[in-house]
Amino acid sequence: IGVLAGFAAIGIRFLIEEISALSFAGDGTLLDNIINTPWYITILVPVIGAAIVGPLIYFLAPEAKGHGVPEVMQAILLKGGKIRPRVAIVKALASAITIGTGGSVGREGPIIQIGSSLGSTVGQFFKIPSKRLKTLVGCGAAAGIAAAFNAPIAGALFAVEIILMDFAVAQFSPIVISAVMATVISHSFEGNLATFNVPPY
C-alpha cells in the first residue's frame, strides 16, 4: 500500500504539472504564465476544467466529490472501510484537472482519498476482515500524506488520530511502515526536499 500510494502521489503531481502547463502555456513560471495570460482565458480555463470534472464525478464515482477526508471517515465509520477501486482513478483525474486548470483546491484531501482507496482495494482483493480493512485504509491515507508532502511522521499521526481515531499499537505499526515506504518511493523520484520552504526572517 505504501509503494502504491507513493507512486500515486508522484503521478498526481505529474498530472497537475502537465495540465497546468497545457492550461497556462508559456516560458516562465506558472504564476508568470497566468499573469501574462489574457483575462478571458484566465476565466475560461477554470470553467472548462469544472465542465469536465462535474460529469466525470457525477457519472463515474459520486463519492469522489468533496474534500476527501470526510468521505474517507464516512467509509471507515459506516462502510467498514470499503471504498470502490474506481474512486482512486476518478479522484486523481478530477483533482489534477481541477488544480491544473486553476481551481481553488489543494492536494492534501485528494491524495488522502486516493491512498485510502488504494488501501481499501488491496484489503478487499485479499478479503481482509472489516477491522483490519480499516487499518489498511489508514495505511493508504498515511502513505499518501507522507509521499505527497515528504512528511512520514505527520502522515502516520494524521491517519491514527483523524482517520482511525485509535492509537492502538497493532494499527500504528503497519501505518508507520506504509508511510515510510511511500516516502522512500517519493525520495527515489523527487529527492528529499521540503515541500514548503520557510524563508529566513
Side-chain angles (χ1 to χ4, degrees), residues 86-131:
R86 71 170 68 176
V87 171
I89 297 164
V90 173
K91 188 70 173 182
L93 285 172
S95 301
I97 293 168
T98 302
I99 297 168
T101 56
S104 59
V105 295
R107 281 186 298 137
E108 62 282 349
I111 197 61
I112 290 166
Q113 192 170 15
I114 292 163
S116 298
S117 177
L118 291 170
S120 181
T121 300
V122 169
Q124 289 175 68
F125 179 79
F126 289 109
K127 297 180 170 56
I128 303 292
S130 178
K131 187 176 180 182

Side-chain angles (χ1 to χ4, degrees), residues 3-17 107 111 143-144 147-148 181-191:
V3 170
L4 289 174
F7 281 114
I10 293 164
I12 195 168
R13 186 176 291 175
F14 173 78
L15 272 173
I16 290 167
E17 288 172 2
R107 281 186 298 137
I111 197 61
M181 286 306 301
T183 306
V184 168
I185 295 294
S186 179
H187 286 185
S188 302
F189 288 85
E190 299 180 345

Side-chain angles (χ1 to χ4, degrees), residues 2 139 142-147 151-156 173-184:
C139 287
I145 289 283
I153 297 169
S173 303
I175 286 170
V176 169
I177 292 167
S178 182
V180 169
M181 286 306 301
T183 306
V184 168

Side-chain angles (χ1 to χ4, degrees), residues 60-75:
L60 296 179
E63 61 269 47
K65 69 180 178 187
H67 182 265
V69 176
E71 289 75 19
V72 172
M73 293 171 74
Q74 183 182 30

Side-chain angles (χ1 to χ4, degrees), residues 22-25 33-34 36-48 101:
L22 185 69
S23 301
F24 303 102
N33 294 344
I34 292 170
N36 294 326
T37 300
W39 67 268
Y40 55 90
I41 293 178
T42 308
I43 292 171
L44 191 62
V45 166
V47 171
I48 293 169
T101 56

